[in-house]
Each structure stands twice: as C-alpha cells, then as structure tokens.
C-alpha cells in the first residue's frame, strides 16, 4: 500500500479536520479504538482526534509492505540525514532540534510534520554496532511519520 503524505492536509483521502464518522465512512470501522484515536491496518495507520472530535494528527508506521511518500520520496527508505535535507530543500521545513526527543525525533513545526525513530546511531556503543549490524543500519531510518494540523506542534 502507498500512503501519500501531504503536510497540513492529510494522508491519502483522510484529511485533517474530518470527523471520526467521515474517517469511518472512508476506512471502515477501526481495528482498535480509544477515546481520541483509531488504528487501522494492524496499527500501521493511526488517526487521532482533538477535543472537538476532528482529525488533528495522522501517523503512519514503517512496515515492509508499505511506502510512505512525501513529495515523491519514500521516507522509510531514505536515511534520516538525506530526508532532513530533502525537507529543508523541498518544503522549507526547519528542524526543531530543541525537541526533547531529538535526535530520535525530527519535528518540523511550520509544516506540521514529525518523524520518529526508537534510536539514533550516535547512541550505540561500538560493541552494539558490531553485535547488531542490522540494528545499526536501521537506526539510520525513521520508524514513523506524523502530520498534524497547524496547531498540533505549537
């Protein structure tokens, strides 16, 4: 499956600002739901709602069966550093390196986009790199992308 990410707008046909009923009409009943979030496709695709019940955040998690495209670039198959320059050059995004989770998280507040990874390569010891070379390789890629409405990252 291909997820087309459109900052400040939506993912595929799910739009920021839609109601939960509109999302369910498009995607069907969620596989799991909480008060303010719904999960679809084995939790690869998650929709979050604000207090008014409108979509304010959409997150896509990495899975080898999907592609998440941002400006035509597959973000789960692009290294963190290349993706950073791509965002800066093509979306005029400015990385918020004051984020408490940086460098695992990269947040671009102005365009409402955030990326998450569970580790940063610089955090790994030499022994960990040698013992788990696949993990080291994967630490160079993000595990999820989230887009929020204009107020989400403020």
């Amino acid at each position: 499956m291909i997820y087309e990410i459109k900052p400040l707008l939506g993912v595929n046909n799910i739009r920021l600002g839609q109601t939960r009923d509109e999302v369910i009409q498009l995607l069907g009943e969620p596989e799991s739901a909480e008060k303010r979030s719904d999960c679809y496709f084995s939790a690869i695709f998650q929709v979050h709602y604000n207090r008014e019940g409108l979509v304010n955040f959409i997150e896509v998690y990495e899975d080898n069966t999907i592609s998440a495209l941002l400006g035509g670039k597959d973000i789960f198959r692009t290294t963190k550093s290349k993706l950073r320059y791509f965002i800066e050059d093509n979306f005029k995004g400015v990385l918020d390196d004051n984020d408490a989770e940086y460098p695992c998280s990269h947040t671009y507040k102005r365009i409402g986009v955030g990326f998450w990874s569970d580790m940063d390569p610089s955090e790994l010891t030499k022994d960990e790199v040698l013992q788990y070379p696949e993990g080291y390789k994967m630490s160079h890629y993000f595990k999820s992308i989230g887009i929020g409405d204009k107020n989400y990252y403020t």
Side-chain angles (χ1 to χ4, degrees):
M1 174 147 205
I2 296 174
Y3 293 95
E4 186 70 35
I5 312 294
K6 298 174 191 99
L8 299 173
L9 185 62
V11 177
N12 291 357
N13 59 348
I14 304 303
R15 298 285 179 251
L16 297 166
Q18 285 179 321
T19 66
R20 185 176 242 158
D21 287 340
E22 289 172 319
V23 172
I24 290 172
Q25 190 172 22
L26 292 166
L27 295 178
E29 290 294 327
E31 294 169 3
S32 66
E34 294 182 20
K35 183 177 180 180
R36 292 180 36 192
S37 64
D38 294 330
C39 295
Y40 294 90
F41 316 116
S42 301
I44 291 170
F45 190 78
Q46 298 184 15
V47 181
H48 301 264
Y49 306 92
N50 62 20
R51 288 186 179 109
E52 291 77 38
L54 303 176
V55 176
N56 71 334
F57 187 73
I58 304 168
E59 192 163 18
V60 178
Y61 283 85
E62 191 276 329
D63 183 272
N64 61 9
T65 64
I66 69 158
S67 293
L69 304 179
L70 178 65
K73 184 159 298 278
D74 188 340
I75 64 113
F76 296 134
R77 290 163 186 82
T78 304
T79 63
K80 293 175 183 178
S81 56
K82 286 182 182 178
L83 194 56
R84 176 181 181 172
Y85 296 123
F86 178 78
I87 299 287
E88 290 172 356
D89 293 345
N90 293 278
F91 293 92
K92 305 304 181 226
V94 177
L95 176 63
D96 177 11
D97 55 8
N98 292 317
D99 185 317
E101 293 188 34
Y102 179 82
C104 289
S105 289
H106 285 197
T107 304
Y108 298 86
K109 292 179 180 179
R110 189 180 67 75
I111 61 170
V113 175
F115 300 92
W116 175 83
S117 176
D118 56 353
M119 71 174 84
D120 182 70
S122 66
E123 297 173 341
L124 300 173
T125 67
K126 179 181 177 182
D127 289 339
E128 289 171 327
V129 170
L130 295 173
Q131 190 172 4
Y132 306 106
E134 187 62 27
Y136 175 72
K137 178 182 172 189
M138 294 311 300
S139 71
H140 290 276
Y141 297 86
F142 288 109
K143 303 255 198 258
S144 77
I145 178 173
I147 64 162
D149 64 21
K150 64 182 180 177
N151 300 313
Y152 189 81
Y153 287 106
T154 58

